[in-house]
Amino acid sequence: MTTATEQAQTGQAGIRQAQTRQAQTRQADVIVLGAGIIGVSAALHLQERGRSVLLVDRGEPGGQTSHGNAGLIERSSVVPYAFPRDLATLAAFASNRSIAVRYRPATLLRMAPWLARYWWNSAPERLDRLGRAILPLIERSIDEHRHWAVAAGTEALMRGEGWVELYRNPRALEQAVSAAAGLHGYGLTYDVLDLETLRALEPALLLGAAAGALHWRDPVTVSDPGAVTRAYAGLFAARGGTLVKADALELRQEGAQWRLPTEAGDWRAAEVVVALGPWSGDLYERFGYRFPLAFKRGYHMHYAAVNEAVPQHPLCDAQAGFVLSAMQRGIRLTTGIELAGRDEPSDNWQLDQAETIARRIMPLGQRLDAQPWRGARPCLPDMLPVIGRAARHSGLWFAFGHAHHGFTLGPVTGRLLAEAMTGAPAFCDLKPFAADRF
């Protein structure tokens, strides 16, 4: 039986422990969950608008989906990446032998309702409306990246000479030229390259199978997208922001506040941004939200250069859907689309087939990575991301679902979200990206 003195001592110890926990609980205005390009950009823009921000991730900034892309800030993608509607392309994809698009049969059955909505939204009139909704973000994508380039030290990684869309089939080239001419109202610049001009632009190219190319001049490319994201995160920290490791799934709402345990103790904030890319669903489903989020997976591998022969611009093989880019690590081959579950085992068939064709286009040395990198692009069936306020939880905001353009749209998404969260005039209509549109 404990004495009154012992009870008092126990009570005092409990008070001291509670006081210690309280002292360890720190306050921020906003907690941003996810340190990929979307989350880092949101944190920086909020910080620039006077908010104190905690940026958290379970790993290193830019270590996941933001790392594995082709390094394009894709100013020329004014038309969303739509579901094909011509029978020839659909037949090629249905065979499951296309290098550009591959699928797991079981996954395709599960995705059938999502694919039906994707196909419906890809009808010309709806595609035009959706394209015009996201166009203000595309148009500002380069400027928003350059907004931080000097301060973050990323200028040396950026190159403003566009990318090359390569065609091995003369008929496909004719169709591409016709489609490009139809974009005259968007103010884009491009050149049609015959074999002679293509060889002058890309002297290392092996042109045996090439019919010609389109050189899209507006986009900016980077030689290490993961390093760019890490540099932005470093700028956030240098300006006084806090970056710690934590498990976003431990987030809890307590009254008007949100609490998150981290390696540095518990943190509270009135607002939270969910920018977890393909893992966003793991969190929002816990709070009762459902979004039709699916995944287009992709792979990449780096190769040594042969006699210093490297692409002078990112080269996209339009038929096979892969891109060859000169990166700091070597020549990166980035594959097209694999329709599969986010965490299903890797299938290297696409990469192996793409490599076979790529070696006919560009001299490639040995593989430099022990295993292919794999990532999952989070996609919604209307081809627009979710950016904005959650419908049923005060202080909860979403920023995910950028599909093929996460790296392109990271900084401009951060700006649009920060404007909404701080009550500033938004540079474009936020309604098309609203979380409640589904």
Side-chain angles (χ1 to χ4, degrees):
M1 182 175 180
T2 59
T3 65
T5 300
E6 289 172 331
Q7 289 175 339
Q9 290 173 340
T10 302
Q12 289 172 351
I15 291 171
R16 286 194 298 271
Q17 291 173 356
Q19 290 173 336
T20 299
R21 287 195 300 270
Q22 187 174 11
Q24 291 175 342
T25 300
R26 300 177 63 184
Q27 187 76 31
D29 295 326
V30 185
I31 298 173
V32 176
L33 303 174
I37 188 63
I38 306 296
V40 169
S41 298
L44 263 171
H45 272 292
L46 286 164
Q47 183 186 59
E48 289 183 346
R49 288 157 177 78
R51 296 296 194 263
S52 64
V53 182
L54 173 70
L55 176 61
V56 302
D57 202 295
R58 63 187 177 187
E60 297 301 320
Q64 295 293 332
T65 314
S66 299
H67 164 73
N69 54 76
L72 296 174
I73 304 174
E74 236 305 53
R75 170 63 183 86
S76 62
S77 285
V78 294
V79 178
Y81 197 98
F83 194 102
R85 301 179 75 83
D86 63 284
L87 293 179
T89 302
L90 289 172
F93 290 169
S95 71
N96 209 18
R97 302 298 296 175
S98 168
I99 301 173
V101 178
R102 187 164 170 81
Y103 59 87
R104 308 283 177 97
T107 303
L108 202 65
L109 290 174
R110 292 196 304 270
M111 288 183 67
W114 186 93
L115 289 168
R117 295 172 73 173
Y118 183 19
W119 178 86
W120 188 84
N121 280 308
S122 297
E125 68 278 6
R126 284 182 283 273
L127 186 64
D128 180 70
R129 173 176 53 83
L130 295 167
R132 294 190 181 281
I134 203 167
L135 182 61
L137 279 69
I138 296 290
E139 290 177 328
R140 289 165 174 80
S141 59
I142 293 174
D143 289 342
E144 290 300 326
H145 269 279
R146 285 180 171 156
H147 176 66
W148 295 318
V150 175
T154 59
E155 285 183 304
L157 300 175
M158 301 172 71
R159 182 175 179 180
E161 298 181 8
W163 63 286
V164 174
E165 195 171 33
L166 187 69
Y167 289 88
R168 290 177 282 121
N169 181 295
R171 176 60 179 157
L173 177 62
E174 290 178 11
Q175 293 173 340
V177 171
S178 177
L183 301 177
H184 62 88
Y186 292 95
L188 299 175
T189 56
Y190 66 92
D191 297 322
V192 180
L193 307 179
D194 59 20
L195 291 183
E196 183 179 351
T197 53
L198 179 57
R199 185 182 296 278
L201 192 70
E202 291 289 342
L205 205 61
L206 305 174
L207 296 180
L214 289 176
H215 177 198
W216 296 96
R217 303 179 69 92
D218 298 279
V220 167
T221 65
V222 302
S223 59
D224 192 334
V228 169
T229 304
R230 291 190 293 275
Y232 292 167
L235 178 61
F236 166 77
R239 290 177 170 178
T242 303
L243 173 62
V244 300
K245 289 186 178 181
D247 183 355
L249 298 185
E250 295 187 13
L251 179 74
R252 298 292 182 269
Q253 188 177 32
E254 297 180 353
Q257 294 277 302
W258 296 89
R259 177 191 285 269
L260 181 70
T262 77
E263 290 183 347
D266 287 5
W267 280 78
R268 289 178 178 268
E271 295 184 291
V272 172
V273 175
V274 179
L276 295 168
W279 296 276
S280 296
D282 295 350
L283 181 64
Y284 65 62
E285 289 182 359
R286 293 190 171 206
F287 293 98
Y289 294 91
R290 297 290 184 270
F291 296 100
L293 194 68
F295 308 102
K296 296 179 181 179
R297 302 203 314 184
Y299 300 80
H300 82 224
M301 173 60 67
H302 292 99
Y303 300 84
V306 177
N307 298 325
E308 301 183 352
V310 298
Q312 299 303 301
H313 308 76
L315 299 172
C316 173
D317 184 296
Q319 181 178 337
F322 65 81
V323 179
L324 288 171
S325 303
M327 296 283 178
Q328 289 190 316
R329 177 163 171 75
I331 300 173
R332 177 180 292 184
L333 189 160
T334 307
T335 67
I337 295 167
E338 180 192 32
L339 298 177
R342 184 191 66 191
D343 301 321
E344 288 187 62
S346 295
D347 179 354
N348 294 335
W349 183 88
Q350 263 180 309
L351 179 66
D352 294 341
Q353 296 299 312
E355 179 183 320
T356 298
I357 295 176
R359 290 186 181 279
R360 301 173 191 155
I361 294 173
M362 175 71 59
L364 297 178
Q366 65 183 6
R367 290 187 172 192
L368 300 178
D369 305 324
Q371 296 293 332
W373 179 91
R374 188 193 79 215
R377 308 174 186 97
C379 304
L380 292 147
D382 63 0
M383 295 158 278
L384 300 180
V386 172
I387 306 171
R389 188 190 304 272
R392 299 187 302 277
H393 290 77
S394 177
L396 184 61
W397 298 79
F398 296 132
F400 61 84
H402 290 72
H404 297 262
H405 297 312
F407 185 75
T408 293
L409 298 179
V412 73
T413 294
R415 173 183 166 180
L416 184 59
L417 184 69
E419 288 172 346
M421 293 178 68
T422 59
F427 70 84
C428 76
D429 185 8
L430 200 63
K431 187 176 180 181
F433 314 110
D436 62 0
R437 71 184 189 267
F438 296 106

